[in-house]
Amino acid sequence: MTQTATSRPRASEAERLARATISIVAEPGDYTFLGLTSELGALRFLEALQEHPDHHHQLRAAAARLESVDAERELDRAESLGIRFVVPGDAEWPTQLEELHAAGTVQERGGTPVGLWVRGPLRLDRLTGSLAVVGSRSSTTYGDRVAGDLAAVVGEAGRAVISGGAFGIDYAAHRGALSVGAVTVAVLACGADRIYPTAHRDLLRHLGRHYAVISEAPPGASPFRVRFLARNRIIAALARGTVVVEAAARSGALNTSNWAQRLNRVVMGTPGPLTSVASVGVHQLIRSGAASLVTGGPDVLELLGAAGEHLVEEPRGPERPRDALPVRRRQVLDAVPVSEPASTASVALVAGLGVVEVHQVLVRLEEGGLVEQVRTGWRLTERGRE
Amino acid sequence: MTQTATSRPRASEAERLARATISIVAEPGDYTFLGLTSELGALRFLEALQEHPDHHHQLRAAAARLESVDAERELDRAESLGIRFVVPGDAEWPTQLEELHAAGTVQERGGTPVGLWVRGPLRLDRLTGSLAVVGSRSSTTYGDRVAGDLAAVVGEAGRAVISGGAFGIDYAAHRGALSVGAVTVAVLACGADRIYPTAHRDLLRHLGRHYAVISEAPPGASPFRVRFLARNRIIAALARGTVVVEAAARSGALNTSNWAQRLNRVVMGTPGPLTSVASVGVHQLIRSGAASLVTGGPDVLELLGAAGEHLVEEPRGPERPRDALPVRRRQVLDAVPVSEPASTASVALVAGLGVVEVHQVLVRLEEGGLVEQVRTGWRLTERGRE
């Protein structure tokens, strides 16, 4: 069912305006607003808010602000900034976000966003099956490398990489995906027009030009702490799985993985040295069973994919000479001492085989360079010891 | 039921001689011999071997050798080397080894040993609840540190540390235990009188003098490859749990953990950098669910201990100033922008609280050094951002 740009279904303009209004008056992740919008619908909720503004102090404050909101003008202003407001009903709406409605709240934040403000050409339904890469802002060189490699492998396999545009692991993940020309998007806690952190101006510009910078908060919104918590749930919900690369004991990345777990997404973690505080939170996740240990992109693809889609080949050590031997010869080889030479009879005894047969096999093994005969008997060569 | 040295139960001398005979003619872990000994008893098996030596070429060879074996003399010779032969029926016999009888074979090795040759004063029943620490011979500095620290913590908690006396992780584990004066024993693939590897002469002497050097193979036996495989099952079976610290993809340490798994022991692994080949095998074990990730001695003690015996405290990040605040103040703090200042009204809107109340709280937060008022409004201080 491919649809051309013009025939794509779109939400009604009234619906979009109502949702923009709510997005502007309500805080991201405010479950009172979002839950009621999901339950009543945006238009009915707004009506209710205007008719009965005295339910709750939060709603009262919002109702008071409603009068000053001109959603149409805000949408126009957003458009002039290159930002569109994507809502349920739009063809590109990432329906996986609906699962947030029943996923409860974490630190008082939760609910399906009323819409997402998007800067950039990427359609949000392209994020189906994507991977979120999250982790410490104060990552180590090791963590950056792991995140970058992993994002590159997953991105190259055609899956989008979602992160938060922050310092550390986020940055390494975006960069890793970009290094192979893969799709990557940043979900921000501030408005999609804002550059935060400012040091990531180039990255965020690039994402906005080629992919997408996404926010639940309207253009102009500042990066408050609560908005980071709200933002984390959007990252977890958009992606099919979240991998935590480095996280100290109380890292915000653990908030994201917590959401991913609640949403029955695939939760993964990459281990690191036990001596690194940057890995403590990840080890804790794996140890508690909340996250699966992954060792790189192939593992991640296996867990993200449908069963059998990406089967990881178990790593094998290098092929050793003895592996190529027939069973009988291996049996004899295994009976030859590592250090002091042994007689053929002694080797035969250990191997549980006849002396004549063992002697024949030893000669063949000597030809293969695996054993050598010295004055006092047979012993393994360097090659035979491998 | 404490027993003095003189009243300790002992196996009969006939039984000990029969088992010593089998130990001398059979290879360690030869399931044909060990299985039949477990099923028939040592004396009956020897009778059967002498009466019907033509069952099997292995048994035939053993029966032929029986005539030249003088077990009594071998036991005397062992005693002169400070080695005793511990068999079922002895008070110190580690009964957990009996579980090997039903645990099948791995690479053709298996079965309960007919006895263990022991050099050193430690009673083998002291190994109940012990930990096996195994890993790569070509370990990294990181792995050595992890193994040593872990052995020290577990040893200090009163649990014996078992390893194989080899280079790398084995050595680090023995050393770690010794560093805190804890009990540690080496189980060798060669005779307990042998020094292998020779570079570990001091270590093995020390263990033999103060603790124990143990082998299934009789004194004088050489370190064949098959004997390492047989030895690994003894390590796994003696210990309540096995931790693999570093192991490449085909490390022998994985053979030990395989045995531990078959024996329903606790199987653990310590993660390392994904960039280290020395950790590939361990990550594979954890990923496959065969081993639990442990981050150090406390984790190991928790898994080894009876439920609730050693409860690990989840690592917590440092206490942040906001954690100490009452809910209402935290709510306001969370609504103060990270970067650009916001008016009291704007903070109130985000917090969902009344302006007057918010202003009062902001003043308190300012007193606490968490926010500051500048010309254009309120913003977080360094401390408030923590």
Side-chain angles (χ1 to χ4, degrees):
Chain A
M1 251 187 38
T2 32
Q3 289 173 312
T4 61
T6 48
S7 73
R8 272 184 209 155
R10 279 174 63 87
S12 74
E13 279 318 296
E15 177 79 12
R16 192 181 317 276
L17 278 173
R19 287 184 173 266
T21 305
I22 298 166
S23 175
I24 292 161
V25 300
E27 263 303 301
D30 184 319
Y31 194 73
T32 309
F33 284 82
L34 306 189
L36 285 171
T37 303
S38 288
E39 281 162 30
L40 303 175
L43 292 162
R44 273 210 55 209
F45 171 58
L46 273 189
E47 278 169 28
L49 198 59
Q50 281 159 325
E51 285 165 21
H52 315 283
D54 52 353
H55 286 312
H56 187 276
H57 62 87
Q58 262 175 298
L59 298 183
R60 239 183 358 253
R65 214 181 158 205
L66 273 181
E67 289 161 34
S68 65
V69 171
D70 183 345
E72 205 158 354
R73 208 190 57 195
E74 294 296 329
L75 284 169
D76 285 348
R77 204 172 69 89
E79 204 183 322
S80 73
L81 295 165
I83 294 173
R84 66 189 183 279
F85 185 54
V86 180
V87 298
D90 288 340
E92 66 168 306
W93 175 251
T95 50
Q96 63 268 35
L97 290 180
E98 310 287 347
E99 293 166 52
L100 280 166
H101 182 56
T105 59
V106 173
Q107 295 185 268
E108 298 158 46
R109 298 285 122 181
T112 302
V114 292
L116 289 178
W117 303 85
V118 183
R119 182 164 63 83
L122 191 86
R123 280 177 54 136
L124 297 189
D125 53 357
R126 177 69 183 73
L127 300 178
T128 306
S130 59
L131 174 72
V133 181
V134 300
S136 179
R137 274 169 303 160
S138 38
S139 56
T140 68
T141 311
Y142 162 74
D144 288 349
R145 179 175 159 186
V146 168
D149 287 357
L150 201 142
V153 171
V154 170
E156 215 158 21
R159 295 187 184 273
V161 172
I162 305 179
S163 196
F167 290 127
I169 296 303
D170 285 15
Y171 187 77
H174 290 305
R175 277 280 163 229
L178 292 174
S179 73
V180 294
V183 172
T184 180
V185 303
V187 183
L188 303 185
C190 54
D193 59 322
R194 302 283 299 263
I195 298 297
Y196 185 86
T198 50
H200 287 177
R201 181 175 304 276
D202 288 349
L203 172 70
L204 293 170
R205 272 200 187 142
H206 186 82
L207 295 182
R209 195 161 295 156
H210 300 283
Y211 304 104
V213 174
I214 300 166
S215 182
E216 181 182 9
S222 295
F224 297 112
R225 180 199 293 280
V226 278
R227 289 182 181 156
F228 284 98
L229 295 176
R231 186 275 310 266
N232 293 342
R233 86 187 197 292
I234 307 287
I235 291 181
L238 280 173
R240 181 173 296 171
T242 293
V243 60
V244 186
V245 173
E246 282 189 322
R250 291 182 72 154
S251 167
L254 302 177
N255 173 253
T256 312
S257 71
N258 188 347
W259 273 111
Q261 211 184 343
R262 276 168 175 259
L263 290 160
N264 295 315
R265 302 294 194 261
V266 183
V267 185
M268 297 159 282
T270 55
L274 294 179
T275 42
S276 165
V277 289
S279 288
V280 169
V282 185
H283 292 150
Q284 201 177 330
L285 276 183
I286 298 170
R287 207 175 79 84
S288 71
S292 303
L293 183 149
V294 288
T295 63
D299 284 3
V300 171
L301 288 173
E302 185 186 9
L303 290 175
L304 284 183
E309 195 188 329
H310 285 282
L311 282 179
V312 169
E313 216 179 303
E314 288 285 283
R316 294 172 59 88
E319 213 56 32
R320 296 173 300 181
R322 73 183 291 279
D323 296 329
L325 296 176
V327 175
R328 194 46 58 100
R329 278 191 223 173
R330 215 186 301 168
Q331 206 172 336
V332 173
L333 183 70
D334 284 349
V336 177
V338 175
S339 43
E340 286 152 60
S343 67
T344 304
S346 154
V347 173
L349 193 71
V350 171
L353 297 171
V355 173
V356 176
E357 183 184 2
V358 165
H359 188 262
Q360 290 168 338
V361 174
L362 282 169
V363 170
R364 298 248 176 103
L365 289 172
E366 189 175 34
E367 284 164 11
L370 298 174
V371 305
E372 59 185 344
Q373 200 169 10
V374 293
R375 201 180 44 80
T376 51
W378 299 91
R379 69 179 178 201
L380 293 179
T381 60
E382 271 298 319
R383 202 168 123 76
R385 267 178 249 180
E386 277 173 31
Chain B
M1 251 189 39
T2 33
Q3 289 173 313
T4 62
T6 48
S7 72
R8 274 184 208 157
R10 279 173 64 86
S12 75
E13 279 318 295
E15 178 78 12
R16 192 181 317 277
L17 277 172
R19 286 183 173 266
T21 305
I22 299 166
S23 175
I24 292 160
V25 299
E27 264 303 301
D30 184 318
Y31 195 72
T32 309
F33 284 84
L34 306 189
L36 285 170
T37 304
S38 287
E39 281 161 30
L40 303 176
L43 292 162
R44 272 210 54 211
F45 170 57
L46 272 189
E47 278 168 29
L49 198 59
Q50 281 159 325
E51 285 165 20
H52 314 284
D54 52 353
H55 285 312
H56 187 278
H57 63 87
Q58 260 176 299
L59 297 183
R60 241 185 354 255
R65 212 180 160 206
L66 272 181
E67 290 161 32
S68 65
V69 171
D70 183 345
E72 203 158 356
R73 207 191 56 194
E74 294 297 328
L75 286 169
D76 284 348
R77 202 172 70 90
E79 204 183 323
S80 74
L81 295 165
I83 293 173
R84 66 187 183 281
F85 185 55
V86 179
V87 297
D90 288 339
E92 66 168 304
W93 175 250
T95 50
Q96 63 267 38
L97 290 180
E98 311 287 347
E99 292 166 52
L100 279 166
H101 182 57
T105 59
V106 173
Q107 294 185 268
E108 298 158 45
R109 299 284 120 182
T112 302
V114 293
L116 289 178
W117 303 85
V118 183
R119 181 164 62 84
L122 191 86
R123 280 178 55 138
L124 297 190
D125 53 356
R126 177 69 182 75
L127 300 178
T128 306
S130 61
L131 173 72
V133 181
V134 300
S136 179
R137 274 168 303 160
S138 39
S139 57
T140 68
T141 311
Y142 162 73
D144 288 349
R145 179 176 158 186
V146 169
D149 286 357
L150 201 143
V153 171
V154 171
E156 214 158 22
R159 295 187 185 274
V161 172
I162 305 180
S163 197
F167 290 125
I169 297 302
D170 286 16
Y171 187 78
H174 289 305
R175 278 281 162 228
L178 292 174
S179 73
V180 294
V183 172
T184 181
V185 305
V187 183
L188 303 185
C190 54
D193 58 323
R194 302 282 298 263
I195 298 297
Y196 185 85
T198 50
H200 287 178
R201 182 176 303 276
D202 288 349
L203 172 70
L204 293 170
R205 272 201 187 143
H206 186 82
L207 295 182
R209 195 161 295 155
H210 299 284
Y211 304 106
V213 174
I214 300 166
S215 182
E216 181 182 9
S222 294
F224 297 113
R225 182 200 293 278
V226 279
R227 290 182 181 156
F228 283 98
L229 294 176
R231 185 276 310 263
N232 293 342
R233 85 187 199 292
I234 307 287
I235 290 181
L238 280 174
R240 180 173 297 170
T242 293
V243 61
V244 187
V245 173
E246 281 189 322
R250 292 180 72 155
S251 167
L254 301 177
N255 172 253
T256 313
S257 71
N258 188 346
W259 273 111
Q261 211 183 343
R262 277 168 175 259
L263 291 160
N264 295 314
R265 303 294 196 259
V266 182
V267 185
M268 297 160 282
T270 55
L274 294 179
T275 43
S276 166
V277 290
S279 288
V280 169
V282 185
H283 292 150
Q284 202 177 329
L285 276 183
I286 298 170
R287 207 175 79 84
S288 70
S292 303
L293 183 150
V294 289
T295 62
D299 284 3
V300 170
L301 289 173
E302 185 186 10
L303 290 174
L304 285 182
E309 195 187 328
H310 285 281
L311 283 178
V312 169
E313 218 177 301
E314 287 287 282
R316 293 172 61 88
E319 212 58 30
R320 295 174 299 181
R322 73 183 292 281
D323 296 328
L325 296 176
V327 174
R328 193 46 59 98
R329 276 191 225 175
R330 215 186 301 169
Q331 206 172 338
V332 173
L333 183 70
D334 284 349
V336 177
V338 176
S339 44
E340 286 153 59
S343 67
T344 304
S346 155
V347 173
L349 194 71
V350 171
L353 297 170
V355 174
V356 177
E357 182 184 2
V358 165
H359 189 262
Q360 289 168 340
V361 174
L362 283 169
V363 171
R364 297 248 175 103
L365 290 172
E366 190 176 34
E367 286 165 5
L370 298 174
V371 304
E372 58 186 345
Q373 201 169 11
V374 293
R375 201 180 44 79
T376 51
W378 299 92
R379 68 178 179 201
L380 294 178
T381 60
E382 272 296 323
R383 203 168 124 74
R385 266 178 251 179
E386 272 173 48

